[in-house]
Amino acid sequence: MSNWQKVSLRDAVGKVVFDEEWGFIKFDGAISYSVGGQELGYYYVEEKGIKNRIMLQNYTVKDLISLFSKEIYEYNRNYRYYSRQQEYKKVAVEEITVNIRVLSAKKDAYGRMGSDIYSFKITKDDKKRLEYLRNVWICDEIQSDDFNPDDYLKRPYFNDLKVGDEILYGGKKYSIKKVYKQPNESGYMISASPSYEGAKSTTANIKFSDNIYILPYNEKPVSETEQFNTYKNEFALSPYAVKSGTCLNVYWNKTADAAEYIISLYKKYDRHYLQKVYHLKDYIVDRNDGFISIDGLTDDGYIVTVKAENRNGEGIALSRGILINGNKQCVPQYWKE
């Protein structure tokens, strides 16, 4: 599992991070603050009887939080010395909008990064949130200069999902509320609600064909193909397989202590919503043979393993899984998740 940790967005300037609402972003450090849709820099604060324009570049987070308890004024642009209108109008700061400019973590075909403005509101009741600004997930394995979000996103399998699991759907964090045993009449498999901070209570019905992902900082499920990474004395067998039409030929090197060989045939079904490995049949081959021909295999996606057992039924050699892919020589391989 990659080493993910939560940090303040302020500590992630110039780095690619993952946010549960925004997805993968790169923060360039640009932040502005506004009240009632107008930047705070257009307001004035009175100190010792003097009204000074708010200069955000000189403000610390502590200074911004203090604005909730200070007297803030808006300059009346229609003021004329001969009018009866007040030059400054007092403004009650009930909430501050934080505007964060971020870059898209994934570059376009021309190597450019698009930018977006994300906003969230801070009220005087939760002003402590402004102090931390926003917490995001960061991974020390991510290289900002050569980054592809797809490398850090994996699809879950619907048969593994359960109520309470968290997923990434539409670029946002969702929590599963219901799992159907089979697709309902509308084709929905699960119902989920957004669960990131500040999310509104809504429900999304998700089908087989919808794009959902595992949150990058969560543990990935163990694939059923992981079993094919087990091996023992594989070089003694040195197996390979060749498929010609509907016929699969498997070859291996005979070993001295083998009483028989077991050729196991599997079928891999792999879709973005379901992964399954079906054990089709075990073929027992005499110790004097180093070859078997299996007919009637109409497509690809088959996996075979070769195992040698002694007279006591003990396994003395076992190959990793051999994935049959087209009419070419196939050998044992390492199976990634």
Side-chain angles (χ1 to χ4, degrees):
M1 181 179 177
S2 299
N3 182 26
W4 289 87
Q5 57 181 324
K6 228 171 186 182
V7 300
S8 169
L9 189 60
R10 291 185 180 277
D11 298 326
V13 177
K15 299 178 181 179
V16 171
V17 298
F18 175 78
D19 182 87
E20 294 171 350
E21 180 182 1
W22 303 338
F24 283 101
I25 57 173
K26 185 175 183 180
F27 178 46
D28 66 356
I31 305 176
S32 64
Y33 306 90
S34 60
V35 173
Q38 181 169 278
E39 281 197 22
L40 268 176
Y42 289 96
Y43 290 92
Y44 295 77
V45 61
E46 185 172 29
E47 296 176 327
K48 298 180 180 180
I50 301 175
K51 294 180 176 64
N52 296 311
R53 187 170 176 176
I54 294 174
M55 305 299 291
L56 289 177
Q57 62 267 31
N58 300 325
Y59 265 56
T60 64
V61 174
K62 186 176 181 180
D63 293 329
L64 287 166
I65 292 175
S66 71
L67 292 177
F68 285 109
S69 57
K70 288 186 177 182
E71 293 188 347
I72 306 298
Y73 294 85
E74 179 183 9
Y75 180 69
N76 186 352
R77 296 178 183 178
N78 295 323
Y79 170 77
R80 296 292 185 271
Y81 71 93
Y82 50 82
S83 75
R84 294 183 179 180
Q85 294 178 320
Q86 293 181 346
E87 182 177 3
Y88 293 94
K89 180 181 178 181
K90 193 173 180 179
V91 177
V93 180
E94 299 293 337
E95 63 181 25
I96 296 176
T97 300
V98 184
N99 307 295
I100 301 174
R101 189 181 75 184
V102 298
L103 303 175
S104 171
K106 191 172 183 178
K107 298 178 181 179
D108 62 19
Y110 301 98
R112 300 172 301 194
M113 286 179 155
S115 64
D116 286 297
I117 301 293
Y118 294 108
S119 302
F120 61 92
K121 298 182 184 299
I122 302 296
T123 68
K124 58 183 178 181
D125 296 325
D126 64 352
K127 58 189 178 184
K128 188 173 179 61
R129 184 180 171 199
L130 179 61
E131 188 172 350
Y132 297 100
L133 187 61
R134 192 179 184 99
N135 288 326
V136 293
W137 290 91
I138 191 168
C139 178
D140 54 9
E141 295 179 11
I142 293 181
Q143 301 297 321
S144 300
D145 296 334
D146 185 19
F147 176 77
N148 183 358
D150 295 338
D151 295 338
Y152 295 86
L153 292 176
K154 302 293 182 182
R155 295 180 185 271
Y157 298 108
F158 277 87
N159 52 314
D160 295 330
L161 294 176
K162 58 185 182 297
V163 173
D165 284 353
E166 291 180 329
I167 58 173
L168 189 65
Y169 174 66
K172 304 177 188 296
K173 185 175 78 167
Y174 274 68
S175 178
I176 296 177
K177 302 300 182 184
K178 185 174 183 179
V179 178
Y180 299 97
K181 294 183 179 179
Q182 61 185 29
N184 66 9
E185 63 275 10
S186 299
Y188 298 131
M189 283 298 298
I190 60 174
S191 296
S193 297
S195 55
Y196 54 87
E197 184 178 355
K200 295 181 179 179
S201 180
T202 59
T203 300
N205 294 310
I206 301 173
K207 299 180 178 181
F208 270 140
S209 55
D210 292 336
N211 290 325
I212 64 173
Y213 300 92
I214 300 169
L215 292 171
Y217 51 80
N218 280 356
E219 192 74 53
K220 307 300 185 293
V222 176
S223 169
E224 289 197 16
T225 58
E226 179 68 24
Q227 61 181 301
F228 299 120
N229 283 326
T230 302
Y231 65 95
K232 180 179 182 180
N233 200 18
E234 184 179 81
F235 283 129
L237 292 170
S238 297
Y240 69 94
V242 179
K243 185 169 179 284
S244 178
T246 62
C247 184
L248 174 65
N249 297 319
V250 184
Y251 306 86
W252 62 92
N253 185 45
K254 292 180 286 185
T255 59
D257 297 327
E260 64 182 18
Y261 301 96
I262 302 173
I263 314 304
S264 298
L265 179 65
Y266 302 84
K267 185 71 168 69
K268 179 185 177 185
Y269 182 81
D270 196 356
R271 297 292 184 270
H272 74 266
Y273 53 83
L274 175 68
Q275 183 191 72
K276 200 71 180 174
V277 174
Y278 300 95
H279 181 197
L280 303 181
K281 188 174 182 179
D282 289 332
Y283 297 87
I284 309 300
V285 180
D286 186 84
R287 66 186 302 272
N288 296 314
D289 295 329
F291 161 82
I292 187 175
S293 182
I294 304 172
D295 203 1
L297 308 183
T298 57
D299 54 3
D300 292 327
Y302 293 96
I303 302 170
V304 293
T305 60
V306 179
K307 181 180 181 181
E309 290 187 351
N310 61 19
R311 295 183 182 277
N312 297 322
E314 299 170 334
I316 57 176
L318 172 66
S319 75
R320 290 169 295 166
I322 303 172
L323 177 63
I324 309 306
N325 185 17
N327 297 329
K328 60 182 181 181
Q329 181 172 305
C330 304
V331 296
Q333 67 179 52
Y334 172 72
W335 293 80
K336 299 180 180 180
E337 63 177 38

